[in-house]
Amino acid sequence: MNATLPVGQIAAQSLSAIRVLEDHGIDYCCGGNRALEEVCAEKGLDAGAILSELDRARHEAGVGARDWNNAPAGELIQHILTTHHEYLRRELPRLAQRMAAVTKAHGEKHPDVVHPLSNTLAALTAELELHLRKEEMILFPFVERAEAAQKAGLPPMTPPFGTVANPIRMMEHEHDDAGQALAAIRRITSDFTLPADACNTYRALYSGLQELE
């Protein structure tokens, strides 16, 4: 591993790498195409030290961790569905409930934070829900059928959307949009800094938003 690798590629190697990047506030989603050395220079971080930390974390995690870069597409899809889609479908409604309660209790006292936060979260939720349906109904089924055809030695499938690159490009664009919304949430909340009069629901909201990010 070297500092010229894109941070997104580094993050894709293991969950331990993701944790190291997150600990240093390195964006591996929207900014995933940027080289580690470039990001470190911008943030005033020592790229060599980050690489050492990444290597140490990878060693501590052991060699048994799943390498999703080389996993069959169907297995990767099931991992995405059970790990990420199920999480979003469970947590997004809970965040909406907390947001509604916080708006009712604190909207007048903290309008500059609560109202833009509510609007941003609502827009993000709507986009993510549509995004999940597109992946589950269009992209993922085609990828699974194409992989099955390949294993069976059948001719390549002709996708109904021209080329599989088209929905993938759209999914990547929507991923970027979601990342920008999450960045906006962090800005609005001043890095999830709670007001002095925050109630337990307010605290739970910020905790849930951080976990979502």
Side-chain angles (χ1 to χ4, degrees):
M1 187 185 301
N2 61 73
T4 63
L5 286 175
V7 291
Q9 185 175 332
I10 293 172
Q13 294 180 2
S14 69
L15 181 59
S16 61
I18 287 174
R19 288 171 176 151
V20 171
L21 296 175
E22 288 176 342
D23 286 344
H24 294 281
I26 296 175
D27 175 17
Y28 54 85
C29 182
C30 296
N33 292 327
R34 302 176 65 195
L36 176 64
E37 60 185 3
E38 177 188 352
V39 176
C40 287
E42 182 180 282
K43 298 178 72 67
L45 299 171
D46 183 339
I50 300 297
L51 283 173
S52 297
E53 194 172 339
L54 286 164
D55 288 337
R56 185 165 58 253
R58 182 174 52 184
H59 176 73
E60 291 174 355
V63 296
R66 189 69 173 98
D67 180 4
W68 292 110
N69 286 310
N70 297 311
E75 184 181 344
L76 176 57
I77 286 171
Q78 289 306 309
H79 172 70
I80 292 171
L81 292 174
T82 57
T83 304
H84 301 291
H85 286 210
E86 287 185 12
Y87 168 83
L88 289 171
R89 288 205 166 94
R90 181 182 69 247
E91 294 301 322
L92 288 174
R94 294 176 180 174
L95 288 172
Q97 291 176 349
R98 295 173 197 165
M99 187 74 253
V102 169
T103 300
K104 183 176 180 180
H106 298 271
E108 292 185 2
K109 290 179 283 187
H110 305 287
D112 293 342
V113 172
V114 173
H115 296 305
L117 178 60
S118 177
N119 292 336
T120 303
L121 178 59
L124 173 61
T125 297
E127 182 172 33
L128 284 175
E129 289 174 345
L130 180 59
H131 178 83
L132 299 188
R133 289 198 296 272
K134 288 179 183 177
E135 286 188 334
E136 293 171 5
M137 298 176 67
I138 300 173
L139 178 60
F140 288 173
F142 174 78
V143 171
E144 289 179 314
R145 290 195 300 270
E147 184 175 59
Q150 183 184 46
K151 289 180 179 178
L154 299 175
M157 298 181 61
T158 301
F161 30 72
T163 167
V164 73
N166 290 331
I168 288 176
R169 189 181 303 112
M170 178 58 68
M171 296 302 100
E172 290 178 336
H173 175 72
E174 292 175 0
H175 285 172
D176 289 344
D177 286 347
Q180 291 168 12
L182 290 170
I185 288 173
R186 181 171 280 276
R187 287 195 303 271
I188 292 167
T189 61
S190 299
D191 293 328
F192 304 106
T193 302
L194 287 160
D197 61 347
C199 62
N200 285 337
T201 304
Y202 212 138
R203 296 177 185 278
L205 173 64
Y206 274 27
S207 176
L209 289 172
Q210 283 185 280
E211 184 180 80
L212 174 67
E213 184 187 63

